[in-house]
């Protein structure tokens, strides 16, 4: 059902047929990188945080980590990730397939600048065995996401 929600959203942009489905899990950055055949950094992972009564979905590069000071500056609160049960209920996608497509109304989407290093990235599509290849510009258009700087890269 979650995969179908994501595909329905992507269909509005002519991208539903671009969704890749795998016979193996793509639920983690490492598994997704192996499934699509790219480096882990190009996996666009979606992290979910409670921000007041809203959910902030932060889509960032697979090698990026939330930088607490940057997050607090952006959202005026400390980062508090949703539990797996909260995530599915509040976002509409279960952990392992959380993505910025076809999400519930209370979700706000932020695209971290760590994604801009790549010509294309691979976000999940609502299931633990799916992905789609999009440019950062396409990701912005399809999600209506806001660009943010809330992550740090490995040194």
């Amino acid at each position: 059902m979650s995969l179908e929600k994501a595909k329905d959203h992507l269909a509005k942009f002519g991208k539903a047929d671009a969704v890749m489905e795998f016979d193996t899990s793509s639920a983690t950055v490492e598994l997704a990188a192996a499934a699509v055949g790219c480096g882990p950094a190009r996996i666009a992972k979606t992290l979910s945080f409670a921000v007041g009564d809203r959910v902030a979905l932060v889509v960032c590069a697979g090698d990026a980590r939330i930088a607490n000071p940057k997050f607090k500056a952006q959202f005026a609160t400390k980062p508090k990730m949703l539990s797996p049960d909260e995530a599915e209920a509040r976002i509409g996608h279960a952990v392992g397939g959380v993505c910025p497509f076809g999400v519930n109304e209370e979700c706000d989407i932020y695209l971290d600048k760590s994604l801009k290093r790549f010509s294309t990235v691979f976000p999940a599509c609502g299931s633990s065995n799916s992905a789609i290849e999009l440019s950062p510009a396409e990701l912005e258009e399809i999600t209506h996401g806001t660009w943010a700087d809330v992550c740090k890269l490995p040194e």
Side-chain angles (χ1 to χ4, degrees), residues 98-119:
V98 173
C99 69
F101 315 118
V103 297
N104 294 342
E105 287 295 317
E106 71 177 289
C107 297
D108 300 311
I109 299 165
Y110 297 88
L111 308 173
D112 187 74
K113 74 174 195 164
S114 60
L115 297 170
K116 290 187 172 186
R117 299 177 289 160
F118 305 106
S119 58

Side-chain angles (χ1 to χ4, degrees), residues 8-91:
D8 288 348
H9 180 88
L10 289 162
K12 297 173 192 170
F13 300 89
K15 294 287 187 180
D17 291 341
V19 173
M20 298 174 273
E21 293 181 65
F22 312 111
D23 292 332
T24 61
S25 175
S26 58
T28 67
V29 168
E30 293 75 19
L31 292 172
V36 300
C38 72
R42 286 187 56 210
I43 299 302
K45 62 185 176 185
T46 303
L47 306 174
S48 55
F49 300 91
V51 175
D53 62 349
R54 307 277 305 163
V55 172
L57 296 177
V58 176
V59 185
C60 59
D63 62 345
R65 300 289 175 259
I66 293 295
N68 289 341
K70 290 181 176 185
F71 188 96
K72 191 169 184 180
Q74 174 79 37
F75 298 109
T77 188
K78 291 181 181 177
K80 179 187 178 291
M81 289 192 77
L82 298 181
S83 71
D85 289 339
E86 285 178 302
E88 187 164 13
R90 295 186 68 186
I91 301 165

